[in-house]
Amino acid sequence: MYQNHDKKEVWKIRALMAVWTVIVFFGISVLFGYTEFDDPTPVGDETTEAGTAGAETTEGTEAETVSLQPELPVSDAEEEILSSLYAAMEVGDFAQAAEILNTEEEALKTLTAETLNGEAWLYYEQEENGTSLHYMEQLGEGAAGDGLALSRYNTAFFGSFQNGRPEGSCLAVQAVVTDAPRYTYASGSWSNGKMNGEGETGYRYYETIPEGSYAGIKKSGTYSENLLDGAFVYEVEGADGEVFSWDMEAAAGVTVLNDSWVYSEASGTYALGARDHEDRTYVLEDGQAQSVLWNNLIVWGE
């Protein structure tokens, strides 16, 4: 009997320990927020949470990209004009650039005289991580870079700049409306803000050609301090599209009257026949013989 009593006591102890084990396990489960009775989180909910987190990251990236665009010293409307002008000059489309300069004349007067206070600024665009960012920097002494700069409301330069002036390869266009919309242009090598080296200058009507006027003219050769120096070619295009060319020579912008020129005492003029068209002559009056006629008309800073 004593032994059976001991066995019963042992089973009571074991049963009590089992109950306490269940109670302790349940308490720990509640404490740490997990029980086997909780419903598992649906896979769809996990995906939704991950998707939401991903969307937040994307929005943050987009916001960061937008913030990379620096603040410019011009209004949005003025920046749009500069961007259009930049695009035209970048591909050497003088006619399109001149149209912008003429069409936006009043806005450009305000931009250059008031917004930029008469100071020269370099405008340029760069592609960064698939986004086109626009920049502007003041063109003071020591400034260097590539881009677009307005020297006046109707005059734009595009190319390389050093020490605040055109240096290296550069284009320039100046737009006017007289009897018809027209532009003067210069393209070539520059140093210290002047054409020095091989280049071309001229003018052209880009809409209608006034009666009795050429469609355009150009002078191609070597420039020194904005003046043609050495052999060059002078070319004109008539309203009908016919082109005539003359081979000439200049010394610091003054015509060199070599043996190709024919002097007429009766009229006091010098005449030079065109290439392949001797009957088409370029006539130079006696009083013009020592005048500077062959130069770049677009001057930086003026």
Side-chain angles (χ1 to χ4, degrees):
M1 295 292 294
Y2 180 78
Q3 290 180 349
N4 290 339
H5 176 75
D6 288 342
K7 288 181 180 180
K8 288 181 180 181
E9 291 297 324
V10 169
W11 280 108
K12 285 181 181 180
I13 292 172
R14 288 179 177 178
L16 185 60
M17 289 178 65
V19 170
W20 276 107
T21 299
V22 171
I23 292 173
V24 171
F25 176 78
F26 182 80
I28 293 174
S29 299
V30 171
L31 178 64
F32 286 95
Y34 171 79
T35 67
E36 63 181 15
F37 303 111
D38 292 336
D39 292 332
T41 302
V43 173
D45 289 351
E46 292 178 346
T47 305
T48 302
E49 290 176 4
T52 301
E56 290 175 352
T57 303
T58 302
E59 290 174 2
T61 303
E62 291 177 353
E64 184 179 351
T65 301
V66 172
S67 67
L68 291 177
Q69 171 60 52
E71 185 176 351
L72 303 181
V74 296
S75 68
D76 291 344
E78 290 170 333
E79 194 276 331
E80 187 175 347
I81 295 173
L82 290 174
S83 183
S84 298
L85 191 56
Y86 181 94
M89 293 292 283
E90 187 175 29
V91 296
D93 191 339
F94 290 122
Q96 179 62 28
E99 184 176 5
I100 295 169
L101 290 170
N102 280 328
T103 302
E104 303 292 348
E105 179 178 328
E106 293 304 316
L108 287 167
K109 284 181 178 179
T110 301
L111 169 63
T112 54
E114 299 179 18
T115 306
L116 299 181
N117 197 31
E119 299 172 339
W121 286 70
L122 183 69
Y123 172 90
Y124 60 98
E125 300 179 359
Q126 288 184 351
E127 198 77 16
E128 298 182 17
N129 298 322
T131 301
S132 179
L133 300 180
H134 303 172
Y135 299 88
M136 288 187 73
E137 297 175 4
Q138 196 164 358
L139 272 177
E141 289 295 327
D146 296 334
L148 169 76
L150 298 175
S151 63
R152 297 183 66 225
Y153 69 90
N154 67 339
T155 308
F157 284 76
F158 185 93
S160 299
F161 294 80
Q162 284 187 15
N163 293 318
R165 304 177 185 89
E167 186 78 24
S169 179
C170 195
L171 310 174
V173 62
Q174 186 173 86
V176 295
V177 178
T178 52
D179 44 3
R182 192 179 88 173
Y183 63 84
T184 300
Y185 72 95
S187 173
S189 181
W190 298 64
S191 67
N192 198 31
K194 296 180 180 180
M195 287 192 73
N196 281 285
E198 293 299 312
E200 177 182 308
T201 66
Y203 73 81
R204 189 171 188 84
Y205 290 96
Y206 64 89
E207 286 186 355
T208 59
I209 303 170
E211 187 175 353
S213 298
Y214 292 119
I217 67 103
K218 68 180 178 180
K219 302 161 287 184
S220 306
T222 303
Y223 287 79
S224 176
E225 298 295 288
N226 277 333
L227 302 174
L228 273 168
D229 199 71
F232 70 97
V233 177
Y234 177 69
E235 181 179 293
V236 302
E237 181 182 336
D240 58 359
E242 192 171 10
V243 176
F244 300 95
S245 302
W246 288 264
D247 294 305
M248 299 187 185
E249 187 177 348
V254 177
T255 309
V256 174
L257 298 172
N258 54 31
D259 294 339
S260 298
W261 292 84
V262 177
Y263 180 69
S264 171
E265 291 185 3
S267 60
T269 59
Y270 294 87
L272 178 68
R275 288 180 183 175
D276 305 321
H277 297 85
E278 286 297 326
D279 58 322
R280 296 300 297 261
T281 58
Y282 181 89
V283 178
L284 185 66
E285 295 182 1
D286 203 0
Q288 298 174 308
Q290 301 303 317
S291 300
V292 174
L293 300 177
W294 312 107
N295 59 338
N296 167 33
L297 297 176
I298 306 180
V299 182
W300 173 257
E302 295 184 10

